[in-house]
Amino acid sequence: MADLSFYVSPLSEEIREEGRAEGRAENILIVLGARRIDVAHATREKITTCRDPELLRGWLLRSAVVATAEEIFGEDAPSEQ
């Protein structure tokens, strides 16, 4: 009988979470691309390096309605002075 304990281990869950984060980041970029919204390199980098699934979920939801890619960050965006 095979040892399946890895699949319920904390390491396994961490790997799955990272995969989910990567998928959400990719989905954000897909939505923005489909809407023909330009994504600056710094914005793309911020999206693809984020590992917080809830933050990415919020960005994904916003990506469907924003006018610019930077607007997905909402209050998370740095203020320009």
Side-chain angles (χ1 to χ4, degrees):
M1 188 161 173
D3 178 11
L4 302 177
S5 61
F6 170 77
Y7 297 102
V8 294
S9 70
L11 176 60
S12 177
E13 183 58 30
E14 184 178 327
I15 292 168
R16 280 192 295 276
E17 281 296 319
E18 185 161 329
R20 286 185 204 111
E22 288 174 3
R24 283 192 177 151
E26 182 179 351
N27 289 338
I28 292 166
L29 296 173
I30 288 170
V31 170
L32 293 171
R35 298 187 58 226
R36 292 187 164 86
I37 294 176
D38 291 328
V39 181
H41 177 74
T43 301
R44 180 178 301 274
E45 187 79 14
K46 184 172 180 175
I47 294 167
T48 59
T49 59
C50 181
R51 292 293 171 249
D52 181 335
E54 288 306 309
L55 186 56
L56 286 163
R57 182 179 185 281
W59 293 351
L60 178 57
L61 293 171
R62 291 182 198 152
S63 71
V65 297
V66 295
T68 69
E70 291 72 24
E71 289 177 27
I72 68 166
F73 304 127
E75 295 178 4
D76 306 321
S79 60
E80 298 194 29
Q81 297 176 346

